[in-house]
């Protein structure tokens, strides 16, 4: 509906509102003339008082009083002797006319008072509903800028005039001096800088906003403070100090409306409480993050102190045997002790690298050393390292040695990766070590291929085996730090030594993948076994950018 239609509807409503009152007076006067001579004068007067009471339900107080006076005079003119004049014969008629006028005026006053109270109740109910709706909107907002925009829109809707807001920046304490850089400015047209706002607000108005913010008190017309000011300055405060201030420019009629001022201040107070709630939630989240970080550090230290104890004991035992009993040891015994020292040292190095990498990748502000790398070279480096460590490393107690079948399966024409090659090498190395631990007698394969999902292309780096796989209940938890599965946590027997660890290898893999914008996934293979996959999103390589169109 356009403005002209709204104006026409308002005009019709203005003229139609007193129509029932006019009809009641018309009916009453028709009955008066019809009953003239049939009933006595006192009964006719009661009919006129009834019409005045009914008309007062729709007429303003002044109009109702004037019509009551005019109706009494007309009643005297037409029905009281001598008729056709305003003179009155006898005290009884004078008393009757006075009673009519008094009853009509008292009735109009009472009905007008009830109408004012009903209007005030409707207004308060509407304001309460607006406060409830505004509070719901504030609960959905998650940042200070959106909260300020909500308050500004609500104030401008209530006042019908431009509104300016000044909000302290989040987690910013009140500065000692009036620094424009420490606050957000919201002009009538939206967020604004201090330089732009100087063109809309005078120096006195900006100083008034700062004064309102510092004192956390309202001032202006009807506030009992600086009432000579033409504008309202309302603090945006919660339970503590003010967090902002609002500048409103009421009209003369609005400046005299105490109820409107109270409602606008309630809106500002709700805003202050919402800002305090948002600050409290932010601080609570920071505390939770700090507690979680501290818990991770404590768990890391506990895991290191527990899982490093066994290899250190083995190293110390082998080294002390070599030192104290070197003359009585055979060459084969010396070789086994040296091999023990080397194996345990490598295990300590792997656990240390994974633990430090996990802590580094979880630290805020961490940045990677990204470069364009070849997936084939990364896989080749992992193969060379794994074969050097595992190709013919292990031997049975009866002297029979065995190797582990390890090979690569790479898709031809793989694109370059924008990555940290050392981290991806560590990721694949961890996966290969895990496969050796939990599927030692199976065929292990390092694969690399491209895939597409959700309209985005990925390079998938995977390590596959034909071992027992991971139980369904543990497939999501295995990528969490210090989670190794119940059957591994209580493992015993000949494989317990090979499977010990702090439980940070897969967690480090997930942290490396997430640091590259990718993710780690577990997939069970169709004919048995497990596939641990790192999905890395593809970005345009320099080769693709340099190719001619």
């Amino acid at each position: 509906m356009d403005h002209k239609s709204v104006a026409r509807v308002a005009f019709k409503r203005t003229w139609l509102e007193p129509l029932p009152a006019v009809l009641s007076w018309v009916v009453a006067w028709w009955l008066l003339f019809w009953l003239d001579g049939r009933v006595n004068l006192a009964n006719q007067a009661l009919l006129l008082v009834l019409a005045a009471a009914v008309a007062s339900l729709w007429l303003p107080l002044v109009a109702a009083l004037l019509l009551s006076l005019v109706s009494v005079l007309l009643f005297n003119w037409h029905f009281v002797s001598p008729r056709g004049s305003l003179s009155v014969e006898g005290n009884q008629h004078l008393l009757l006319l006075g009673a009519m006028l008094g009853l009509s005026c008292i009735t109009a006053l009472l009905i007008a008072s009830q109408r004012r109270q009903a209007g005030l109740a409707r207004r308060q109910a509407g304001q309460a509903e607006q406060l409830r709706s505004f509070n719901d909107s504030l609960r959905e907002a998650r940042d200070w800028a959106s909260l300020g925009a909500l308050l500004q829109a609500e104030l401008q809707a209530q006042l019908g005039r431009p509104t300016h807001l000044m909000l302290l920046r989040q987690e910013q304490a009140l500065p000692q001096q009036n620094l424009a850089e420490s606050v957000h400015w919201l002009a009538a047209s939206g967020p604004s800088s201090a330089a732009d706002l100087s063109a809309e607000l005078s120096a006195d108005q900006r100083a008034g906003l700062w004064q309102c913010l510092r004192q956390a008190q309202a001032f202006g017309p009807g506030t009992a403070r600086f009432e000579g000011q033409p504008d309202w300055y309302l603090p945006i405060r919660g339970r503590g100090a003010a967090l902002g201030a609002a500048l409103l420019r009421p009209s003369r009629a609005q400046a005299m409306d105490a109820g409107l001022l109270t409602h606008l201040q309630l809106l500002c107070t709700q805003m202050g409480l919402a800002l305090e709630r948002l600050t409290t939630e932010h601080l609570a989240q920071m505390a939770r993050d700090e507690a979680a970080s501290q818990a991770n550090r404590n768990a890391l230290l506990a895991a290191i102190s527990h899982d490093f104890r066994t290899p250190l004991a083995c190293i110390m035992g082998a080294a002390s045997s070599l030192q104290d009993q070197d003359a009585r040891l055979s060459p084969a015994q010396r070789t086994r002790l040296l091999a023990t020292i080397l194996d345990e040292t490598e295990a300590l190095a792997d656990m240390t690298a994974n633990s430090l990498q996990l802590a580094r990748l979880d630290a805020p502000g961490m940045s990677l050393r990204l470069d364009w790398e070849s997936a084939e070279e990364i896989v080749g480096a992992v193969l060379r390292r794994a074969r050097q460590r595992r190709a013919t490393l292990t031997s049975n107690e009866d002297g029979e040695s065995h190797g582990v079948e390890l090979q690569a399966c790479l898709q031809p024409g793989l694109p370059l990766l924008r990555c940290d090659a050392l981290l991806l090498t560590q990721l694949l190395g961890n996966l290969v070590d895990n496969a050796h631990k939990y599927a030692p007698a199976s065929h292990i394969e390092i694969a690399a291929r491209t895939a597409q999902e959700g309209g985005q292309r990925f390079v998938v780096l995977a390590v596959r085996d034909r071992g027992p796989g991971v139980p369904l209940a543990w497939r999501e938890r295995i990528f969490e730090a210090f989670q190794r599965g119940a059957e591994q946590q209580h493992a015993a027997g000949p494989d317990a030594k090979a499977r010990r660890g702090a439980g940070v290898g897969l967690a480090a893999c997930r942290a490396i993948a997430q640091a590259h914008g990718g993710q780690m996934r577990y997939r069970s293979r169709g004919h048995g076994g497990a596939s641990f996959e790192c999905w890395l999103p593809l970005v345009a390589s320099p080769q693709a950018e340099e190719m001619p169109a």
Side-chain angles (χ1 to χ4, degrees):
M1 185 179 294
D2 57 10
H3 295 290
K4 293 183 178 180
S5 301
V6 173
R8 284 196 297 268
V9 171
F11 179 77
K12 290 180 179 179
R13 185 180 296 123
T14 302
W15 280 98
L16 289 176
E17 280 181 355
L19 184 59
V22 174
L23 290 177
S24 65
W25 278 112
V26 170
V27 172
W29 280 100
W30 180 82
L31 288 174
L32 282 174
F33 284 105
W34 183 72
L35 294 173
D36 188 20
R38 301 181 182 182
V39 297
N40 58 33
L41 195 62
N43 289 332
Q44 287 180 289
L46 289 176
L47 184 62
L48 198 64
V49 171
L50 176 62
V54 173
S56 298
L57 296 173
W58 291 278
L59 292 176
L61 176 60
V62 176
L65 293 175
L66 288 175
L67 282 176
S68 297
L69 177 61
V70 171
S71 66
V72 170
L73 293 176
L74 291 175
F75 184 82
N76 182 23
W77 180 274
H78 288 288
F79 301 106
V80 178
S81 299
R83 299 194 180 196
S85 70
L86 294 178
S87 60
V88 179
E89 292 181 354
N91 295 331
Q92 291 182 350
H93 290 167
L94 185 61
L95 180 61
L96 178 63
L97 292 174
M100 288 175 58
L101 181 60
L103 286 174
S104 298
C105 291
I106 291 173
T107 303
L109 289 170
L110 291 175
I111 292 178
S113 176
Q114 293 297 319
R115 289 175 63 187
R116 282 196 303 270
Q117 292 180 11
L120 181 60
R122 286 193 298 271
R123 179 182 179 183
Q124 290 176 346
Q127 289 177 344
E129 177 61 25
Q130 290 170 353
L131 287 172
R132 185 199 62 78
S133 177
F134 182 59
N135 191 45
D136 291 341
S137 301
L138 291 179
R139 281 201 301 267
E140 296 175 359
R142 300 326 265 158
D143 58 88
W144 283 42
S146 58
L147 285 172
L150 286 173
L151 176 62
Q152 187 178 43
E154 190 68 24
L155 292 176
Q156 292 182 163
Q158 294 293 319
L159 202 63
R161 288 170 170 264
T163 300
H164 297 79
L165 298 184
M166 183 180 73
L167 298 177
L168 285 175
R169 296 185 182 276
Q170 192 168 10
E171 300 180 15
Q172 171 72 46
L174 185 63
Q176 296 294 329
Q177 298 178 348
N178 298 345
L179 300 176
E181 296 79 11
S182 61
V183 294
H184 288 293
W185 296 94
L186 280 84
S189 57
S192 179
S193 64
D196 297 334
L197 202 66
S198 61
E200 300 186 31
L201 298 180
S202 65
D204 290 340
Q205 288 173 327
R206 294 196 298 274
L209 284 171
W210 278 105
Q211 190 73 5
C212 179
L213 172 63
R214 293 186 180 280
Q215 295 186 0
Q217 291 181 339
F219 57 88
T223 63
R225 300 182 188 89
F226 303 101
E227 295 207 23
Q229 293 286 337
D231 302 327
W232 277 332
Y233 295 86
L234 304 182
I236 301 173
R237 61 173 181 261
R239 296 182 180 87
L243 300 173
L247 170 63
L248 302 95
R249 301 171 177 176
S251 63
R252 288 187 178 181
Q254 290 171 336
M256 302 298 293
D257 191 344
L260 177 61
L261 175 61
T262 301
H263 181 61
L264 297 178
Q265 182 59 70
L266 285 175
L267 291 173
C268 293
T269 301
Q270 276 192 311
M271 170 72 170
L273 292 172
L275 292 176
E276 283 188 346
R277 172 186 55 80
L278 201 62
T279 301
T280 302
E281 290 178 354
H282 181 68
L283 293 176
Q285 184 61 45
M286 290 179 61
R288 286 193 294 268
D289 293 342
E290 179 63 25
S293 177
Q294 185 63 41
N296 285 336
R297 285 194 292 268
N298 293 339
L300 180 61
L301 291 174
I304 289 175
S305 63
H306 178 270
D307 290 288
F308 281 29
R309 189 176 303 156
T310 300
L312 285 174
C314 293
I315 293 173
M316 290 180 65
S320 62
S321 297
L322 286 173
Q323 183 182 20
D324 298 337
Q325 303 179 16
D326 182 66
R328 295 191 295 271
L329 294 176
S330 64
Q333 290 174 328
R334 292 192 189 93
T335 301
R336 281 197 299 271
L337 290 174
L338 290 173
T340 299
I341 293 175
L342 289 175
D343 291 345
E344 299 299 338
T345 302
E346 287 184 356
L348 278 177
D350 291 341
M351 286 190 287
T352 302
N354 287 325
S355 300
L356 294 178
Q357 203 65 266
L358 182 62
R360 184 176 76 89
L361 294 174
D362 285 341
M366 185 275 306
S367 60
L368 303 180
R369 298 177 180 177
L370 300 178
D371 202 351
W372 294 104
E373 305 289 349
S374 167
E376 292 87 347
E377 293 183 1
I378 294 174
V379 173
V382 175
L383 279 175
R384 288 191 297 272
R385 173 179 175 274
R387 284 170 177 167
Q388 289 173 358
R389 294 182 59 183
R390 303 286 181 178
T392 55
L393 182 64
T394 58
S395 61
N396 296 331
E397 292 183 356
D398 55 3
E400 294 180 2
S401 63
H402 65 277
V404 178
E405 186 178 358
L406 177 66
Q407 64 180 24
C409 179
L410 304 179
Q411 176 182 316
L414 287 172
L416 294 178
L417 295 175
R418 182 71 173 171
C419 64
D420 187 322
L422 291 178
L423 290 181
L424 287 189
T425 302
Q426 181 179 352
L427 181 150
L428 291 176
N430 286 345
L431 296 179
V432 171
D433 289 342
N434 269 6
H436 281 298
K437 290 179 182 178
Y438 299 107
S442 70
H443 171 77
I444 299 173
E445 180 180 81
I446 305 176
R449 60 183 175 86
T450 58
Q452 188 162 348
E453 185 178 272
Q456 186 175 6
R457 293 187 66 205
F458 295 85
V459 168
V460 182
L461 303 177
V463 174
R464 307 166 180 168
D465 62 60
R466 290 295 182 184
V470 177
L472 185 62
W474 281 89
R475 291 181 183 178
E476 293 297 329
R477 299 175 58 184
I478 54 174
F479 292 108
E480 299 177 6
F482 319 119
Q483 299 292 333
R484 302 176 55 233
E487 67 277 6
Q488 273 73 42
Q489 292 173 5
H490 306 289
D495 292 337
K497 179 180 177 181
R499 296 184 180 183
R500 64 171 179 260
V504 295
L506 291 179
C509 292
R510 183 179 66 174
I512 293 171
Q514 291 176 347
H516 285 83
Q519 57 179 319
M520 285 297 304
R521 299 181 183 179
Y522 170 83
R523 181 174 60 84
S524 59
R525 305 183 70 184
H527 298 287
S531 176
F532 289 87
E533 302 176 350
C534 173
W535 287 60
L536 299 176
L538 273 178
V539 295
S541 65
Q543 292 180 352
E545 294 173 355
E546 295 172 1
M547 288 180 62

